Amino acid sequence: MLAIVVGAVWTLQGLGYLSGSVMTDDRTWAVVGPIVALVGLILVAVGLRVRRRGQAGNGPAGD
């Protein structure tokens, strides 16, 4: 989740919507930010999938 938030902040800084940083208006961060956010989304999706798969095997012991 942190990667998603950081990626969004970097994107906004790179596009110039958030000021007060050396990253403001630097197009590099407008490209890197969405990539970091996408990696964060992928990690969350993979984590949820693994978690669901692990819970599916926790049925009653009498099966």
Side-chain angles (χ1 to χ4, degrees):
M1 295 297 286
L2 183 62
I4 297 169
V5 173
V6 169
V9 169
W10 286 356
T11 301
L12 293 173
Q13 285 179 327
L15 294 174
Y17 293 113
L18 294 176
S19 59
S21 170
V22 296
M23 297 183 336
T24 302
D25 278 333
D26 185 347
R27 297 294 177 197
T28 302
W29 299 107
V31 173
V32 172
I35 293 170
V36 171
L38 180 62
V39 168
L41 283 171
I42 291 169
L43 290 174
V44 167
V46 168
L48 289 174
R49 178 175 273 194
V50 168
R51 186 174 185 188
R52 285 185 192 144
R53 189 179 308 150
Q55 290 178 351
N58 291 337
D63 286 347

